[in-house]
Protein backbone atom coordinates (compact mmCIF):
# COMPACT_ATOMS: atom_id res chain seq x y z
CA UNK A 1 0.00 0.00 0.00
CA UNK A 2 1.19 3.51 -0.77
CA UNK A 3 2.72 4.98 2.41
CA UNK A 4 0.70 8.20 2.08
CA UNK A 5 -2.57 6.29 1.83
CA UNK A 6 -1.45 4.10 4.73
CA UNK A 7 -0.80 7.21 6.85
CA UNK A 8 -4.31 8.50 6.11
CA UNK A 9 -5.87 5.08 6.69
CA UNK A 10 -4.06 4.66 10.00
CA UNK A 11 -5.21 8.11 11.10
CA UNK A 12 -8.84 7.36 10.23
CA UNK A 13 -8.73 3.92 11.83
CA UNK A 14 -7.41 5.39 15.06
CA UNK A 15 -10.24 7.93 15.20
CA UNK A 16 -12.81 5.23 14.41
CA UNK A 17 -11.34 3.10 17.21
CA UNK A 18 -12.16 5.91 19.63
CA UNK A 19 -8.81 7.64 19.94
CA UNK A 20 -9.18 11.39 20.44
CA UNK A 21 -8.18 13.82 17.73
CA UNK A 22 -4.55 14.87 18.14
CA UNK A 23 -3.53 18.38 19.15
CA UNK A 24 -3.40 21.00 16.39
CA UNK A 25 0.37 21.03 15.90
CA UNK A 26 1.00 17.39 16.76
CA UNK A 27 3.42 15.20 14.86
CA UNK A 28 0.49 13.01 13.84
CA UNK A 29 -1.42 15.87 12.20
CA UNK A 30 1.72 17.13 10.50
CA UNK A 31 2.32 13.64 9.05
CA UNK A 32 -1.31 13.51 7.89
CA UNK A 33 -0.97 16.91 6.21
CA UNK A 34 2.23 15.80 4.44
CA UNK A 35 0.57 12.60 3.23
CA UNK A 36 -2.39 14.51 1.81
CA UNK A 37 -0.12 17.09 0.16
CA UNK A 38 1.98 14.34 -1.44
CA UNK A 39 -1.10 12.64 -2.85
CA UNK A 40 -2.36 15.92 -4.27
CA UNK A 41 1.05 16.73 -5.73
CA UNK A 42 1.33 13.39 -7.55
CA UNK A 43 -2.21 13.65 -8.89
CA UNK A 44 -2.19 9.89 -9.52
CA UNK A 45 -5.57 8.54 -10.54
CA UNK A 46 -4.78 5.18 -8.93
CA UNK A 47 -3.75 6.76 -5.61
CA UNK A 48 -6.80 9.02 -5.58
CA UNK A 49 -9.09 6.06 -6.27
CA UNK A 50 -7.53 4.14 -3.38
CA UNK A 51 -7.97 7.16 -1.12
CA UNK A 52 -11.59 7.51 -2.23
CA UNK A 53 -12.22 3.90 -1.18
CA UNK A 54 -10.68 4.57 2.23
CA UNK A 55 -12.82 7.68 2.70
CA UNK A 56 -15.96 5.87 1.52
CA UNK A 57 -15.40 3.04 4.00
CA UNK A 58 -14.83 5.51 6.83
CA UNK A 59 -17.99 7.43 5.92
CA UNK A 60 -20.05 4.22 5.79
CA UNK A 61 -18.71 3.16 9.17
CA UNK A 62 -19.56 6.53 10.72
CA UNK A 63 -23.07 6.39 9.25
CA UNK A 64 -23.58 2.89 10.64
CA UNK A 65 -22.41 4.03 14.05
CA UNK A 66 -24.86 6.95 14.01
CA UNK A 67 -27.77 4.66 13.12
CA UNK A 68 -26.80 2.23 15.87
CA UNK A 69 -26.66 5.04 18.43
CA UNK A 70 -30.13 6.23 17.42
CA UNK A 71 -31.45 2.67 17.63
CA UNK A 72 -29.98 2.22 21.11
CA UNK A 73 -31.55 5.52 22.24
CA UNK A 74 -34.90 4.31 20.91
CA UNK A 75 -35.31 6.98 18.26
CA UNK A 76 -37.79 5.96 15.61
CA UNK A 77 -36.15 7.68 12.64
CA UNK A 78 -32.78 6.39 11.52
Amino acid sequence: MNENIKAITDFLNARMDGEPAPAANSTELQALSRAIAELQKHDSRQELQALALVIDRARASLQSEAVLEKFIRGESSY
Side-chain angles (χ1 to χ4, degrees):
M1 176 184 291
N2 175 297
E3 70 180 64
N4 294 317
I5 293 173
K6 183 176 179 342
I8 295 167
T9 302
D10 290 347
F11 180 86
L12 290 173
N13 284 337
R15 301 299 79 69
M16 292 170 57
D17 288 343
E19 290 186 31
N25 281 332
S26 68
T27 303
E28 188 176 6
L29 276 185
Q30 290 173 6
L32 178 65
S33 294
R34 280 192 303 275
I36 292 169
E38 284 295 315
L39 285 174
Q40 290 173 332
K41 184 169 56 174
H42 290 157
D43 196 25
S44 163
R45 182 174 175 87
Q46 184 179 10
E47 289 176 346
L48 293 176
Q49 285 176 331
L51 182 57
L53 288 174
V54 168
I55 291 169
D56 189 51
R57 290 183 72 190
R59 185 187 68 221
S61 180
L62 292 171
Q63 288 173 337
S64 296
E65 183 179 334
V67 169
L68 180 59
E69 286 177 10
K70 287 181 179 181
F71 176 77
I72 290 170
R73 287 191 303 254
E75 295 179 19
S76 60
S77 64
Y78 37 85

